[in-house]
Amino acid sequence: MSQFLRRSAVLTCGAGLVLGLVACQPKGDIQTGGASPAATASASSSPSPRKSTGTEGLPNGAQLAAMLLPAEALPTLKLNPDSVRSTGTGFNPPISPTAVPQDQVCKAFDGSAWSNVAGYSYASFAQNDYTDESQDMFAQELETYRGDDARVVMGKLREALTACHGYVSEQDGVKHKVTIELKELPGVGDEAVQAVRTAPTWTGGATLVAARVGSVVVTTYYNDQRNTGSAGIDLTKALVKNVTAAR
């Protein structure tokens, strides 16, 4: 059985159902082109209050979109035009952090909008994904955060991925025992982690990567029907280089 890979369960804001992942907020000038009991980590508790700052020095959505990997970097996959979104030339207003419901934390990793599990709103973002007929997918997203929020978000993602080491995912009425193996990914941006997501009932698996470059958080999701999606690591490294070069 192939694993679930499209974002029909966890969509980015403005595109459909978001399962109550409260980091999703109106995205300004959007351009269209059962959890484990362990999910009680601080990623699902009240995020720490912080002082909001302005957006000076932060790239807007249009600038972030220019940093995303182009089609020639993914020759075996095709761009999904419905996935092309950004905040355009504007920024989202600052919004106070809000905890993700505990029963939604692990479910966030069933789809590509998994950075929402941190519970922090971003100032700007850009995303797209590439797919093929076999339902392989590489999804990439860049988000900017005010102040020190990017560091906090990385910590929250680590905590949630650790808490969801083992959980049950229900897809189309079928339950799957999912395992997430989390590792640090040294030498990628200012900090980075990789998480491999598998289940005995799936063919293949998915590799999730989160990296920080200053105030930009890079998240990717590579689903592969033949292996664990490890090719997503090299693609993410290339994406991080794009972000670093644009600083």
Side-chain angles (χ1 to χ4, degrees):
M1 177 180 292
S2 299
Q3 69 161 306
F4 179 83
L5 57 103
R6 299 295 302 165
R7 15 179 123 188
S8 57
V10 184
L11 291 169
T12 48
C13 299
L17 182 66
V18 295
L19 291 180
L21 298 180
V22 292
C24 284
Q25 75 270 15
K27 291 188 174 180
D29 300 326
I30 293 179
Q31 306 299 313
T32 302
S36 164
T40 57
S42 55
S44 61
S45 60
S46 297
S48 303
R50 86 281 188 246
K51 182 178 180 180
S52 295
T53 61
T55 57
E56 183 178 357
L58 297 181
N60 61 34
Q63 292 168 321
L64 292 174
M67 302 175 200
L68 295 172
L69 293 181
E72 51 264 32
L74 298 120
T76 64
L77 303 176
K78 292 184 179 180
L79 178 66
N80 171 15
D82 293 336
S83 72
V84 179
R85 298 177 180 276
S86 80
T87 42
T89 58
F91 290 93
N92 286 328
I95 299 175
S96 297
T98 310
V100 175
Q102 292 180 3
D103 63 351
Q104 301 297 324
V105 173
C106 294
K107 290 181 181 180
F109 302 117
D110 289 348
S112 56
W114 56 278
S115 63
N116 293 316
V117 76
Y120 274 65
S121 63
Y122 37 79
S124 61
F125 93 107
Q127 69 162 57
N128 62 35
D129 61 54
Y130 289 78
T131 62
D132 65 15
E133 292 182 354
S134 298
Q135 295 188 324
D136 299 319
M137 178 179 73
F138 177 74
Q140 55 183 339
E141 184 162 350
L142 303 176
E143 300 170 347
T144 68
Y145 291 89
R146 294 173 170 85
D148 200 42
D149 284 2
R151 293 178 185 270
V152 178
V153 166
M154 286 295 297
K156 297 293 184 183
L157 294 179
R158 281 186 177 90
E159 292 167 359
L161 287 164
T162 299
C164 295
H165 170 72
Y167 72 100
V168 175
S169 172
E170 185 170 350
Q171 300 156 10
D172 298 326
V174 179
K175 293 184 178 180
H176 306 275
K177 294 182 178 179
V178 180
T179 298
I180 294 179
E181 296 290 346
L182 178 67
K183 295 182 179 179
E184 294 294 318
L185 191 59
V188 179
D190 296 317
E191 57 178 316
V193 294
Q194 66 180 68
V196 178
R197 183 173 173 270
T198 57
T201 49
W202 294 341
T203 56
T207 294
L208 292 67
V209 182
R212 182 179 64 82
V213 180
S215 295
V216 179
V217 172
V218 178
T219 54
T220 63
Y221 183 104
Y222 195 160
N223 181 83
D224 195 320
Q225 299 298 310
R226 293 166 296 280
N227 57 52
T228 59
S230 58
I233 296 174
D234 286 338
L235 289 169
T236 306
K237 289 179 178 178
L239 178 56
V240 168
K241 287 182 179 179
N242 286 354
V243 177
T244 302
R247 295 177 72 176

